Structures are given as structure tokens and as C-alpha cells.
């Protein structure tokens, strides 16, 4: 020791406070410039304490309190185990250090007594110790059973005695747990052994608390009460500080039994730990005590899946052992049938969401228990696998997380390496949890902040971590925490999906794989309606020895996890297979998914929601690159400015010489842009007004580019005899197109030359151009149709496709009906000759914005036409409350209301002269024609209906105005609109009906005047 201590100072041993040297001298451990004779090992043991200053202060107090301190001091100089346990304990736990000071004779619990090397105290010994503390006979039948032992101490005396005895047991256990921290020669207690002994200690305390409660409330001679341990106590894996979850069963379940149970909870709560009985049937609202039949009836008829999940860890804890076992025999068979319930998948998804919903956002990165990659992730996954596969395999039914994990790996339900790695991570996280709770004996799962170096250093030393030559002990702790959290974050990849792929891949003969039945059961539990079909897709994707198959084997566990959270995993997996097969020769496709996690995650959400996206994606794979998250200085390409998109499209198409090449290029770019917008829409990156504007902008650009190409073709042999303009009508004119909308247009021309036959020649030529445009864009294509609809022209389908500006003027002056004036409210130039388009608009302004407003007869006519539309055009069997176009409060209701106000007042209120429905509502409110509340209700109705209509197209891949009534399509529509995955889609329907009902009330008052 002379060489070891040469030049030693308190500071070198970690004792940097000025008071440490005098304190050490007072204890007789320091003399002048070094340790006192015989105290060298004491000083080094003190230095190894997680907090040497705290340990020294506590031992100083112990020396003052202990009448036999000279004996303690002498033992410390020779007893390695005592030194290790004392200094590790007092430097780790202020609460247990205070208990030792308050009961200084308890130092003997830390000494190397002859019986310390015997097997550690078991449940029977701990129970006997705590029963004796309250004056109960350990050899008699348990309290709660007929003739059972009861306490002779009651009231505060019993609570005080039980508290002291419980802390004594805890002191001895914690000292053994921490011994290896104080000296490397001491045995290391594995964290699962510590957790099991803590659970035994909790059960012993329940026995003693029940003995006190029975003594204070004498039951009938034959009455029986059993306490069932749940949660970590039932699983034999308790923390140092945790609520103890219990359920009570009694025969009879009368008022006396309830009083005994309530008193037992109070005694245990005041002496040892809080007891939580909220896992009982009906939770806090349910009876505290029930009969065995009462429990059985509830679980047969009313229990939810999570309640059976809780029962996985149930075991008799105290009270009548026969009644406790009868309870277990009754409920256990029900647990292993839970996975067959119709609502199992929905409940599983809800349980998965609850894991993260209870985490405060500012604590998420430091939460050992509930955070991503935390303890609850492992526990939840193990329990779910037990529910799925434990129906047919009793070997995996252990209530212990680590034992169940070992059994799952041994029986092939998860990979052996995955099981071992997760067990190691689980033990590490539990160790940190134990040390944090020991410090002040408080319930906590929160790591110190990364800038709290002192707290992190203490935790690292208490967890027996050491610097590694490159990083100090704090760096080692943080690296280990992040490494283990990352490993657990891929929990579902490792526990749920990897074995599925192993089972459908070619593996060595000695590899352990799941059976086909087990694989199907797991897929069904995770949300797949057709597990057999899913397995076929997995076989197709991972079959063979190609590089692509290898990458798929690596990718799919992550992708399947994301798909399981989507509204329709079956359709999503099928779409992924189709996309992968279609892009098999695209070299960067799989690499992008492998290397860009955000791209893969976003793609699975899209494929599990939409049929339109995969249909477009196989012909526009380059859009996949846009799914990457924007980086520093790099904008989000999913939300490009529509004007930039249109300019780029026009420039690209303009470089094509032949009409078919130009149209093909325009179609391709439209496909790209439609897919881009759809992705941004489904990912919640674009509000509905921007979606409509982007779709309208690309339609206008396609029309303009195609018109230019058609004119170029028809002027190959000579100059054009006419100018031509395309006027957008309907939703195109209002920049309100949806994904499946037609392009409503009018074609107007004007002769270049003058003369008696000039107009006829101009119309003939312009008609050929217009027909070319319609035919080129309307030809068959796998993409959504590009229908150019000119049915709003004068005389409808019977009228000329193209008219001159003068012909339009004459027609509207002589023959225009009120509905045609209404249709012109949405007219705006979208392609062709700009000057001609503007002169057309100037010509129709007096018609659509009459200076004197509408006469009463015209208002009546509009209302009559609207009522006829409502009555006759709604498809047979449609639900008027959920039809987005013609339903109550839907698009037609709101648009007709705005248009009526425009026809009545735009002549005198220029601000109303807009083709946009939403802009019209804003201006009507600003002009006092609508109240702010009415405008808000109509805006909400129109926006909701438009979003829903777009979502139907995205989900089904084809246009539709009727919302699905139920099933996965409804769930997908709700998800596309931002409702949480796995939630009840009926919430969306209720919201939709409520919003449109309010809009309809405004329509009836404003439009119909009711």
C-alpha cells in the first residue's frame, strides 16, 4: 500500500471539498499527508464510491450515531465486503444512508457475517421477517384464509414496525446489489436477480400489511381474501421504487372484505410502497373487491385486450392461496384466447400508441421507460408476441420479460441474436433505472440532462462504468445509453418482422425459423387481413440470391413496421411489391430506400393509404427522390411553387418538334407533378387551397403546351388564319381542380385577316386545332384521364365547339340564360392568345356581374335549378350526408351560394369579381353580405368537402364523390385527411357531418332564404 498511496491526497481520491481532510482525520483515516496506518484500503474504497463526498458525510453521521463505532471502524479495516457495501451504498442512496444513520446497529446487515455466503434471502425468509415485525406467526396459515395468522401490532405501531423492517430488508438487498461497485472482488448481482428479490420483498410486505388489516377488521370465520400481484410484481421483475399493482378477489366480496383490502393498501402505502388497484375490472370505477365468479364474468363479457395483456403477469401474492390459485386457473385460459378477438388488431395498435403518448415531449430523449427505445418498448413487444404465439406454445408464457424473451428466441419466434441483444439492452436500461431510483428512493425513469455532468458522472459510477481510454466515464455512459436506445428503437423490426423473413427465405438447415402458421398468426396480429397473401409477397420480394433480394431482406423489417401503422397494410405491401417489380431495373431504387430512412418511411405511409400513388409511381419513379427530408440550404421539393412548375413544363414541351412527342412530354410532366402534389398532400405538407392551385396550374400548363404544339402542326403548311384562346371554366377557372377533375373550357377564336369568309375560315381552322387538343389529351392512357370538356359552351353539346369573339357576344346578348351567366362567373383565360382571352373576359363581365344585380325572377330561377339538381342528380343509393359534391353542405351548396351573392352584388362590389370560391367568401364577408360566422361555416364546409373528395381519389385511385361508409377505405380516407392511424374512422365521419350540417344551415338561410 505504501507504493499505492505515495503522494496521495484527498483530492486525488476525488475528495475535493475543503471539509474532507478534517473529517477524515476525525475518523482516524487520515494523518498529515496520507492515509492513517491501517486505513489505506478504507480510503481507496471510499474513492470508489459513486459520490465520495456523500458517502463520507453519511459515514461521519453514522460514527456519531453508532454507540459501537470503534467496532465498526475496526471491521472496516479488515472486512473487504463491509467496506465495499458501506461506501457504495452511502454514496448511491441518500434515503438508505439516512435509514442506516437512524438505525446505526443495522451496519451488521452489511458485514461479512457467516450467513452472508448462504443463498440470498428467499420469499419465505423475507415474509417471515416482515410478519414477525408486526407480531404475526410466520408458521400459521396466511392472513386472509380461514384461521390465518393476524398481526398483534395495529395502527401506527404496525406501520412503523413494518416500515423499519421493510427498509432493513431493502438495505441489505441494495448493499448486495452495490457491493461490486465498491470493490471488484465482490460478486455481481444481475439486474434480473435484484428485480426478482425486490418482487419477493414486495410480496412479503403484502403478507404483513394484510395481517395488520385483518387484525383491524375481523372477517367472518370462513371468509377468504386473496391478493393477486400484477405488473412487475407479478412478473418477478420489480423496481426499487414502483407502485405495486394488485387485484383483490374474495369470498364473500362483502363490506368487510372491502375494508380489509382498503386498509391493507393504506398500511403498505404508509410503510413500504403505493399499491395500485386500477388494473381491476372497470378500473377506478369498479368494485375494489370481487368474487371469483364476478371476475370471471367480467373477463368473459367485457374485458379489453389490454386487460388480458395485464393478466399475463398475474400471480397469487398474499392471502388465501387456494383462492388465489383458483383465480389464476380461471383467467389464464382467457388470456391465451385474446388474440382471437375481433378487436385484437385495433387494440394492439392502440396499445402501441399509448407507449409514446404518455411521454412529455421535453423528456422524450431521456425517458428510460416510456421513450422510444425504452423499457416499455421491449415489454410491450414481448407481451404481444406471447399473446399471439402463447395460444399454442405454453413454453413462452412466462410472466418475466427476460425469461419470455429467452423462450421466444429459443422456440424460433425471434432471432437468437436479436433476443440476446435486446435482453442485454433491457438489463442495461433496468440497471440505470435502479440506480436512479435508489438515489433518493423516488420513482423516476428520467436520465439526467446531457449538460448535467455531475449527475451523469454519479450515475455512471453507480452503474460500474469506467472510462475506456478514449472517453471519460460520462462519455461512456452517454454512448452506451444511445447505443442501447437505438438498438431497442428497432424493436418491432427485430421482434416482429425479421423472423417472418427468415421463415420465407432460404436458410441453413439448422436455422430456427417460425412455422407458416406462426408467421400467419403474427401478421394477422399486426394488422394484415390476408396473412397468406402477405407471406406470398414476402417470398416474392426476398426469394433468390440476387443483390436486390438481399437488400429487400434488410429493408423489409423496417418497411413492414411502417406499413403496420398504415390504414391498409395488405394493399400497401401489394403496392410495394408491384412498385419493386416495376422498378427492378432502376439501379438507385433500393439503395435510396436503404440509405434514406425518411424516404422509406414516407413511401410506406403513402402505399398503405393510396392506390393513386403506386399507379403513378411506377411511371414516375424519379419522384421518390423528392421524399427525402430537406437538408440545410436545400428546399423541400415536394412543395415547389406552381408557377415554377408551369414554366418548366412549358419550356420542356416547347422543345419538342412533333405533336405526339409534345403531348407525351406534357403527359409525363403532368404525371410527375400530380404524384408530387399527391405525396405532399398525403404527408400533410400542402393545405387544400395549395393542392387545388397546384393541380389547376399544371392542367393549365398542359393545355397551353398542347395547344401550342397543335397550332405548330396545323401551321406547318401556312400561317394561322386565326388567333385562339382557351377559357377555363368551372373548377379549372376557379383554380380549384381536384385529382380527378375534368378541364371545363370554352374555345374562342378571332380571324387574323378581314373579309367576308375570314370568320368561317378562322372557325374551321380553330375547330381543327381544338379537336386535335381534345383528341391528343383524351386518348387512352394508364394515367388519370385528361378530359377537355367544352359542354358549357353556348347550346351545349349541340353548339359549335369554337366560336369567334363576336359570335359569343351576340349569343350572350340575345340568348343567354341565368345559368349561363352563373357559369361565366368562373371564366378566366388559361391558354392561347392572351390578348384575345382578356377581351373575352371584358366582354362577359357585364353579363356575369350585372350592374343592377339580379331581378327576383332570376333569383327564383337559380333556386329552382339548384333544387332540381339536389333532387335529380344525386346518384341512387348515395348518402346525402356524406356526398361531397351534391350532399348537404357540400361543394355545390357552398359554390351556388357564393355565386348567387356574386350575381346579385358584384356589379356594385368590384371585390366580389373573383373566380375563387374561398376568395368570394372572404370578400362577401368583408362587404357585409355574410356575417363572419356564416363565412367561416361555409369556408369550413367547402374546405372539408374538397379535402374529402380529393382523399377519395387518392385512396381509391379513381374519382368519387361519395365517402366510403365503413371498412379500410374509410380508414384510409380518414388517415389521408390527417386523422391518427388506427383510430376510429367514425370520428372523421362525425366531424364531416357536423361541419357540413352547419354549412347547410347557412345555405338554407342565405341561398334559399328560409
Amino acid at each position: 500500500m505504501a507504493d499505492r498511496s505515495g503522494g496521495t491526497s484527498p483530492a486525488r481520491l476525488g475528495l475535493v471539498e475543503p471539509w474532507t481532510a478534517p473529517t477524515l482525520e476525525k475518523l482516524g483515516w487520515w494523518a498529515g499527508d496520507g492515509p492513517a496506518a491501517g486505513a489505506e484500503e478504507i480510503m481507496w474504497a471510499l474513492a470508489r464510491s459513486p459520490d465520495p463526498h456523500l458517502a463520507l458525510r453519511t459515514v461521519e453521521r453514522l460514527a456519531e450515531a453508532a454507540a459501537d463505532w470503534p467496532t465498526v471502524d475496526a471491521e472496516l479495516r479488515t472486512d473487504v465486503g463491509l467496506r465495499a457495501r458501506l461506501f457504495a451504498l452511502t454514496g448511491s442512496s441518500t434515503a438508505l444512508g439516512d435509514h442506516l444513520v437512524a438505525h446505526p446497529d443495522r451496519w451488521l446487515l452489511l458485514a461479512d457475517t457467516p450467513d452472508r455466503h448462504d443463498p440470498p434471502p428467499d420469499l419465505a425468509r423475507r415474509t417471515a421477517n416482515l410478519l414477525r415485525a408486526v407480531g404475526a406467526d410466520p408458521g400459521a396459515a396466511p392472513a386472509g384464509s380461514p384461521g390465518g395468522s393476524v398481526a398483534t401490532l395495529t395502527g401506527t405501531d404496525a406501520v412503523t414496525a413494518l416500515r423499519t423492517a421493510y427498509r432493513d430488508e431493502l438495505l441489505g438487498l441494495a448493499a448486495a446489489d452495490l457491493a461490486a461497485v465498491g470493490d471488484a472482488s465482490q460478486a455481481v448481482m444481475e439486474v434480473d436477480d435484484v428485480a426478482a428479490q425486490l418482487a419477493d420483498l414486495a410480496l412479503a410486505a403484502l403478507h404483513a400489511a394484510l395481517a395488520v388489516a385483518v387484525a383491524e377488521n375481523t372477517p367472518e370465520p370462513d371468509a377468504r381474501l386473496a391478493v393477486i400481484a400484477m405488473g412487475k410484481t407479478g412478473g418477478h421483475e420489480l423496481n426499487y421504487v414502483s407502485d405495486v399493482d394488485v387485484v383483490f378477489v374474495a369470498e364473500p366480496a362483502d363490506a368487510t372484505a372491502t375494508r380489509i383490502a382498503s386498509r391493507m393498501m393504506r398500511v403498505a402505502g404508509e410503510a413500504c410502497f403505493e399499491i395500485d388497484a386500477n388494473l381491476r375490472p372497470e378500473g377506478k370505477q369498479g368494485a375494489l373487491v370481487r368474487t371469483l365468479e364476478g371476475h370471471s364474468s367480467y373477463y368473459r363479457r367485457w374485458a379489453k385486450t389490454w386487460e388480458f395483456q395485464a393478466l399475463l403477469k398475474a400471480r397469487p401474492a398474499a392471502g388465501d392461496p387456494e383462492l388465489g390459485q383458483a383465480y389464476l386457473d380461471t383467467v389464464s385460459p382467457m388470456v391465451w384466447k385474446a388474440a382471437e378477438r375481433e378487436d385484437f388488431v385495433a387494440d394492439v395498435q392502440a396499445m402501441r400508441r399509448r407507449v409514446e403518448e404518455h411521454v412529455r415531449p421535453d423528456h422524450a430523449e431521456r425517458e428510460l421507460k416510456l421513450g422510444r427505445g425504452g423499457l416499455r418498448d421491449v415489454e410491450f413487444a414481448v407481451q404481444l408476441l406471447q399473446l399471439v404465439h402463447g395460444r399454442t406454445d405454453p413454453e413462452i408464457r412466462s410472466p418475466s420479460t427476460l425469461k419470455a424473451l429467452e423462450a421466444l428466441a429459443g422456440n424460433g419466434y425471434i432471432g437468437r441474436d436479436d433476443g440476446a441483444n435486446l435482453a442485454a439492452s433491457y438489463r442495461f436500461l433496468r440497471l440505470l433505472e435502479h440506480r436512479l431510483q435508489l438515489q433518493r428512493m423516488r420513482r423516476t425513469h428520467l436520465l439526467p440532462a446531457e449538460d448535467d455532468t455531475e449527475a451523469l458522472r454519479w450515475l455512471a459510477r453507480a452503474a460500474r462504468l469506467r472510462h475506456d481510454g478514449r472517453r471519460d466515464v460520462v462519455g461512456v455512459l452517454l454512448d452506451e445509453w444511445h447505443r442501447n436506445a437505438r438498438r431497442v428503437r428497432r424493436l418491432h423490426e427485430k421482434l416482429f418482422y425479421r423472423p417472418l423473413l427468415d421463415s420465407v427465405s432460404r436458410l441453413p438447415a439448422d436455422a430456427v425459423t417460425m412455422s407458416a402458421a406462426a408467421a400467419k398468426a403474427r401478421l394477422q396480429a399486426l394488422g394484415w387481413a390476408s396473412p397468406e397473401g402477405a407471406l406470398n409477397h414476402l417470398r416474392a420480394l426476398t426469394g433468390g440470391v440476387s443483390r436486390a433480394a438481399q437488400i429487400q431482406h434488410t429493408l423489409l423489417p423496417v418497411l413492414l413496421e411502417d406499413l403496420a401503422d398504415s390504414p391498409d397494410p395488405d394493399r400497401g405491401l401489394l403496392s410495394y411489391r408491384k412498385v419493386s417489380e416495376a422498378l427492378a431495373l432502376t439501379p438507385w431504387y433500393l439503395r435510396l430506400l436503404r440509405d434514406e430512412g425518411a424516404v422509406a418511411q414516407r413511401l410506406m405511409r403513402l402505399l398503405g393509404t393510396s392506390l393513386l400513388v403506386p399507379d403513378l409511381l411506377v411511371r414516375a419513379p424519379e419522384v421518390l427522390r423528392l421524399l427525402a427530408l430537406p437538408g440545410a440550404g436545400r428546399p423541400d421539393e415536394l412543395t415547389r411553387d406552381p408557377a415554377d412548375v408551369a414554366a418548366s413544363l412549358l419550356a420542356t414541351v416547347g422543345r419538342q418538334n412533333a405533336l405526339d412527342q409534345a403531348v407525351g412530354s406534357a403527359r409525363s410532366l403532368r404525371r410527375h407533378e400530380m404524384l408530387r402534389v399527391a405525396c405532399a398532400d398525403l404527408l400533410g405538407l400542402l393545405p387544400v387551397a395549395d393542392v387545388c392551385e397546384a393541380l389547376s396550374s399544371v392542367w393549365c400548363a398542359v393545355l397551353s403546351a398542347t395547344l401550342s404544339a397543335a397550332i405548330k402542326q396545323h401551321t406547318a403548311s401556312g400561317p394561322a388564319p386565326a388567333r385562339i384562346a382557351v377559357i377555363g371554366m368551372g373548377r379549372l377557372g376557379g383554380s380549384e381542380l381536384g385529382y380527378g377533375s375534368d378541364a371545363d373550357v370554352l374555345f374562342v377564336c378571332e380571324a387574323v385577316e378581314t373579309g367576308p369568309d375570314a370568320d368561317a375560315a378562322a372557325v374551321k381552322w380553330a375547330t381543327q386545332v381544338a379537336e386535335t387538343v381534345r383528341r391528343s389529351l383524351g386518348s387512352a392512357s394508364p394515367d388519370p384521364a385528361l378530359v377537355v370538356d367544352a359542354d358549357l359552351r353556348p347550346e351545349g353539346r349541340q353548339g359549335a365547339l369554337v366560336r369567334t369573339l363576336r359570335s359569343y357576344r351576340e349569343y350572350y346578348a340575345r340568348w343567354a340564360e341565368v345559368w349561363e351567366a352563373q357559369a361565366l362567373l368562373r371564366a378566366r383565360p388559361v391558354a392561347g392568345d392572351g390578348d384575345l382571352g382578356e377581351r373575352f373576359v371584358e366582354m362577359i363581365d357585364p353579363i356575369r356581374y350585372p350592374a343592377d344585380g339580379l331581378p327576383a325572377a332570376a333569383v327564383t330561377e337559380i333556386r329552382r335549378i339548384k333544387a332540381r339538381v339536389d333532387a335529380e342528380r344525386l346518384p341512387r343509393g348515395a348518402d346525402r350526408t356524406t356526398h361531397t359534391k351534391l350532399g348537404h353542405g357540400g361543394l355545390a351548396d357552398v359554390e351556388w351560394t357564393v355565386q348567387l351573392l356574386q350575381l346579385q352584388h358584384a356589379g356594385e362590389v368590384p371585390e366580389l369579381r373573383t373566380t375563387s370560391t374561398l376568395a368570394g367568401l372572404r370578400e362577401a364577408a368583408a362587404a357585409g353580405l355574410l356575417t363572419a360566422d356564416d363565412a367561416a361555416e361555409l369556408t369550413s364546409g367547402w374546405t372539408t368537402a374538397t379535402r374529402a373528395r380529393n382523399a377519395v381519389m387518392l385512396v381509391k385511385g379513381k374519382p368519387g364523390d361519395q365517402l366510403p361508409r365503413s371498412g379500410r377505405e374509410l380508414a384510409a380516407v380518414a388517415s389521408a385527411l390527417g386523422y391518427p392511424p388506427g383510430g376510429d374512422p367514425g370520428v372523421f365521419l362525425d366531424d364531416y357531418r357536423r361541419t357540413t350540417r352547419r354549412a347547410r344551415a347557412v345555405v338554407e338561410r342565405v341561398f334559399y332564404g328560409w
Side-chain angles (χ1 to χ4, degrees), residues 425-439:
S425 290
Y426 186 73
R427 287 188 172 96
F428 177 75
L429 298 177
R430 288 300 302 274
L431 176 63
L432 296 185
E433 180 186 44
H434 281 186
R435 296 297 181 259
L436 288 167
Q437 293 183 346
L438 257 179
Q439 190 175 30

Side-chain angles (χ1 to χ4, degrees), residues 117-188:
H117 300 291
D118 292 343
D122 58 11
L123 175 59
R125 288 174 59 187
R126 294 194 189 280
T127 302
N129 289 344
L130 297 193
L131 285 173
R132 280 192 289 266
V134 296
D137 181 5
S145 57
S149 174
V150 297
T152 57
L153 293 180
T154 57
T156 56
D157 291 340
V159 169
T160 301
L162 180 56
R163 181 188 301 118
T164 301
Y166 177 78
R167 282 296 174 103
D168 286 348
E169 295 287 333
L170 204 57
L171 181 73
L173 174 55
D177 181 16
L178 292 162
V181 176
D183 194 289
S185 67
Q186 299 298 299
V188 175

Side-chain angles (χ1 to χ4, degrees), residues 699-849:
W699 236 125
C700 291
V702 168
L703 271 172
S704 182
T706 306
L707 178 64
S708 296
I711 290 174
K712 184 186 297 186
Q713 175 176 287
H714 285 278
T715 55
S717 57
R723 289 179 286 271
I724 185 170
V726 181
I727 309 300
M729 303 287 284
R731 298 192 182 285
L732 179 63
S735 290
E736 296 166 354
L737 284 183
Y739 295 99
S741 299
D742 295 343
D744 291 313
V745 301
L746 299 178
F747 291 100
V748 56
C749 70
E750 186 177 62
V752 174
E753 304 292 340
T754 59
D757 298 324
D759 282 355
V763 168
K764 180 179 179 181
W765 180 84
T767 300
Q768 292 174 345
V769 172
E771 289 287 7
T772 298
V773 169
R774 295 180 70 193
R775 183 175 59 254
S776 299
L777 293 179
S779 59
S781 167
D783 295 330
L786 287 87
V787 177
V788 179
D789 188 339
D791 288 353
L792 291 177
R793 65 187 182 267
E795 302 179 64
R797 295 181 181 178
Q798 307 305 315
L801 179 61
V802 183
R803 288 176 180 254
T804 63
L805 181 63
R806 181 168 55 245
S807 175
Y808 275 109
R809 181 182 294 110
E810 291 173 354
Y811 174 84
Y812 288 131
R814 298 181 60 187
W815 309 108
E817 299 183 26
V818 66
W819 70 265
E820 292 178 294
Q822 182 181 352
L824 290 173
L825 287 168
R826 312 291 288 277
R828 69 179 177 96
V830 296
D833 189 278
D835 176 69
L836 177 60
E838 289 302 324
R839 285 188 285 125
F840 179 88
V841 168
E842 292 173 3
M843 180 268 294
I844 63 171
D845 275 352
I847 301 168
R848 58 180 177 173
Y849 307 136

Side-chain angles (χ1 to χ4, degrees), residues 546-557 590-591 594:
S546 67
R547 179 62 177 160
Q550 294 175 353
I551 296 177
Q552 290 283 18
H553 199 280
T554 302
L555 273 173
L556 276 166
L590 289 177
R591 290 201 307 271
R594 181 192 62 195

